[in-house]
Amino acid sequence: MNKVVPLTAVLPLILDNQTIALGGLTIYRRPVVFVRALLQHEPRPQNLTLLAFTAGIASDMLVGGGCVSQTRTCYFGLESFGLAPMFTKAVENGRLTIIEESEASIACGLRAAVGQLGFMPSRAWQGTDLFKVRPDVKTVVDPYSGETLTAFPAIRVDVAVIHVLKADQSGNAILGGNPTIDEMLTHVADTVILTAEEVVEKLAGPVDLSGLPITAVCHIPHGAWPTSCYPAYPLDGEEILRYIDACHRGQFEDYVKGLSF
């Protein structure tokens, strides 16, 4: 089955009130061009829950565009380039609900969803105050050892958007490094969209992502820019700084609209 479609065909799949997950890690292999295109698609989706293992510039653009009402991530920033400007502003203005997460809570929540379970037990968070900010996270007693464990609830995802180094027409894909939680996202999301640097008819070698759960593949060279996509290209630090400066000058919308894709 040929799953290759133009970018404009998948933008209407992002609907109000959905949970959208972005693949990649901080400022590496993020689906930036997809997010920019989504912000230029009318009407923009509203009241999204943004899930990211670590959130970076693509997530910051979604927040800046007014699409996100709550976030689920264990880090939101631009690494050595500092704070994520639009996220920081939204938090200061009280426009975002932050669901506190850690690496363990996200990983366990997704594993529970993969296994079609209500929760995943773990020793994480025991002895911490995180339960005070996450009353939805309960504890269970191990019936074999009697040990108290954390029961992380399953995390459901409506749409996952992942940028890949190479994909074939059936949706099989190679990530090119930094796999993070991208494979799990493909198994828990109802809709999985890949944006790819290169699309070939069929991948012959080992793949990082199976094409079976993939909904659509969009051929978007430099789709992660200005984040990196190893080994195709490094991150563009000057462009990230230009984005930060535009946000601080109140020119976020001008920046988004001024970039072609």
Side-chain angles (χ1 to χ4, degrees):
M1 181 178 178
N2 191 338
K3 299 181 179 181
V4 179
V5 299
L7 179 58
T8 52
V10 298
L11 298 177
L13 299 178
I14 314 299
L15 304 176
D16 294 352
N17 307 310
Q18 288 184 325
T19 293
I20 181 172
L22 300 184
L25 184 73
T26 51
I27 49 178
Y28 310 100
R29 200 172 44 74
R30 306 319 295 252
V32 179
V33 170
F34 177 90
V35 170
R36 285 170 18 208
L38 185 63
L39 293 179
Q40 298 190 44
H41 177 74
E42 296 294 341
R44 289 178 179 175
Q46 301 293 309
N47 198 38
L48 297 178
T49 296
L50 171 65
L51 172 69
F53 195 63
T54 59
I57 188 170
S59 299
D60 197 56
M61 289 179 178
L62 265 186
V63 171
C67 300
V68 178
S69 61
Q70 58 183 4
T71 61
R72 306 187 68 159
T73 181
C74 57
Y75 169 83
F76 207 132
L78 302 179
E79 284 199 359
S80 59
F81 297 93
L83 301 175
M86 301 310 291
F87 169 76
T88 302
K89 183 178 180 180
V91 172
E92 291 174 344
N93 293 339
R95 292 193 290 106
L96 275 184
T97 298
I98 298 175
I99 300 176
E100 294 289 346
E101 298 281 8
S102 67
E103 292 91 337
S105 64
I106 292 176
C108 287
L110 292 176
R111 286 172 182 160
V114 169
Q116 298 183 4
L117 302 171
F119 69 93
M120 180 63 64
S122 171
R123 291 189 177 91
W125 289 23
Q126 292 296 307
T128 75
D129 287 333
L130 283 166
F131 295 98
K132 294 180 180 180
V133 294
R134 285 291 303 277
D136 60 310
V137 178
K138 311 297 183 181
T139 59
V140 294
V141 176
D142 186 330
Y144 299 101
S145 68
E147 181 182 5
T148 298
L149 300 172
T150 305
F152 289 110
I155 298 176
R156 311 297 178 184
V157 179
D158 294 301
V159 183
V161 185
I162 302 168
H163 188 72
V164 302
L165 181 66
K166 182 184 293 188
D168 66 18
Q169 295 178 352
S170 299
N172 302 299
I174 296 172
L175 296 175
N178 290 321
T180 68
I181 59 171
D182 290 357
E183 183 183 7
M184 277 199 290
L185 290 178
T186 68
H187 294 298
V188 303
D190 296 331
T191 299
V192 183
I193 300 167
L194 300 185
T195 60
E197 292 290 327
E198 180 183 358
V199 177
V200 298
E201 183 177 354
K202 185 175 179 61
L203 287 171
V207 299
D208 297 310
L209 303 180
S210 166
L212 290 176
I214 306 304
T215 306
V217 177
C218 302
H219 183 208
I220 308 179
H222 264 69
W225 181 83
T227 68
S228 70
C229 187
Y230 178 85
Y233 49 87
L235 64 88
D236 187 339
E238 287 188 6
E239 185 61 27
I240 294 174
L241 291 173
R242 194 169 80 86
Y243 168 76
I244 294 170
D245 288 343
C247 293
H248 288 327
R249 292 195 301 267
Q251 297 175 333
F252 169 81
E253 290 291 342
D254 292 337
Y255 178 89
V256 172
K257 294 175 182 177
L259 289 175
S260 61
F261 55 86

